[in-house]
Amino acid sequence: MFPLHRGRRLRVNESIRSLVRETTLSPTDFMFPMFIAEGENVKVEISSMPGIFRRSIDLTVEEVKEIYALGIRAVNIYVKVSEDLKDNTGKESWNPNGLMQQAIRAIKSACPEMIVMPDVALDPYSIYGHDGIIANGDVENDSTVAALVKMAVSHAEAGADFVAPSDMMDGRVLRLREGLDAAGFHHVGIMSYSAKYASAFYGPFRDALDSAPREADVAVPKDKKTYQMDYANRIEAIKEALSDVEEGADMVMVKPGIAYLDIVREVKNAVNVPVTVFHVSGEYAMIKAAAERGWLDNDKIMMEQLMCIKRAGASLISTYFAKEAAILLNK
């Protein structure tokens, strides 16, 4: 009689394990974050993110075609703008002929079925490296939101399928929805960075876009903790996600990923919209660094982490491993 139930019967071989596997991964589970640079035929590797590049629009389009062929159906795009276009208003962000707007048009023209979700935040355009407009020594919420609406509408005009506000300003989802609808873009969705924590895992990303907070000749916050969330908090993430859904978000995001899987599950249980998880640059860089030293197996750790993010409740995973993982899955 000992024991009646043996769990190992369901682990005997890979065929049995695959039959009872609770969570599966597919290339359609991934969104690929892409960095776009000025110029033509530009491809510059980001030193802190081996295998990830800033590409000019022409090479970005070629990469988009390649990943679409692998089964990836969404890209999250960011731009590195020249210093002379940066100021404290972020006005370049809604330039109809700006780098982001050109990139959206080029991607949608070359690969119409690819879902394009441009980043909506002012840090790539800010002389201070912050996600909004600086006033009285801090990021001013409401004027920033007004700028974000102009930015989002310009993205929609260029052909974006979703806009992805990553700024963490209060009330911005409602104003974005109102602004998009007023401009006739009822079909353009909002993927809100709802629970974006003030994390040290973002370092390599800020290298890629030169978007870290900077010292200035005026009073400027030294970090982003007045608007990004305190990583000690859990209930606040649920509140933020529910608030964004009430304001009109079509998807919500938790960022970072692996260190925040408890938050992913809490948010998944609380909302009735898809939950995106951003497997961020620092998480990518740590795996790459350990693999280069022979301490970890890159492919095995990559797939384990992505599977765990999906298991925790992610409907979509934004990850720099998207292309690598899709290639492995297709094999």
Side-chain angles (χ1 to χ4, degrees), residues 163-230:
V163 294
S166 63
D167 56 287
M168 289 298 288
M169 297 298 110
D170 293 332
R172 91 277 206 207
V173 173
L174 177 60
R175 291 291 179 252
L176 288 173
R177 185 69 272 157
E178 292 173 340
L180 290 167
D181 288 353
F185 295 109
H186 307 276
H187 62 285
V188 174
I190 297 174
M191 181 189 70
S192 174
Y193 289 57
S194 298
K196 181 179 181 182
Y197 284 85
S199 170
F201 282 108
Y202 306 150
F205 175 93
R206 292 174 181 166
D207 291 343
L209 294 184
D210 190 23
S211 61
R214 308 176 182 185
E215 294 184 0
D217 55 2
V218 297
V220 176
K222 64 180 176 26
D223 54 39
K224 301 189 177 187
K225 293 180 179 180
T226 66
Y227 46 101
Q228 294 178 358
M229 284 179 51
D230 184 343

Side-chain angles (χ1 to χ4, degrees), residues 88-90 93-94 120-122 131-134 139-153 163 165-180 190 227 244 247:
N88 188 36
T89 70
S93 69
W94 60 85
V120 175
L122 295 186
D131 289 39
I133 296 168
I134 297 296
V139 174
E140 208 286 315
N141 194 92
D142 294 2
S143 61
T144 295
V145 170
L148 297 176
V149 172
K150 295 178 186 178
M151 184 180 184
V153 170
V163 294
S166 63
D167 56 287
M168 289 298 288
M169 297 298 110
D170 293 332
R172 91 277 206 207
V173 173
L174 177 60
R175 291 291 179 252
L176 288 173
R177 185 69 272 157
E178 292 173 340
L180 290 167
I190 297 174
Y227 46 101
D244 284 358
E247 291 182 15

Side-chain angles (χ1 to χ4, degrees), residues 85-124:
L85 295 175
K86 297 181 179 183
D87 62 13
N88 188 36
T89 70
K91 65 181 182 295
E92 177 61 19
S93 69
W94 60 85
N95 176 359
N97 295 311
L99 182 59
M100 178 68 87
Q101 291 77 3
Q102 292 181 51
I104 295 167
R105 287 193 291 268
I107 294 170
K108 292 302 291 185
S109 175
C111 192
E113 297 304 312
M114 181 64 83
I115 302 301
V116 178
M117 302 191 189
D119 178 57
V120 175
L122 295 186
D123 49 328

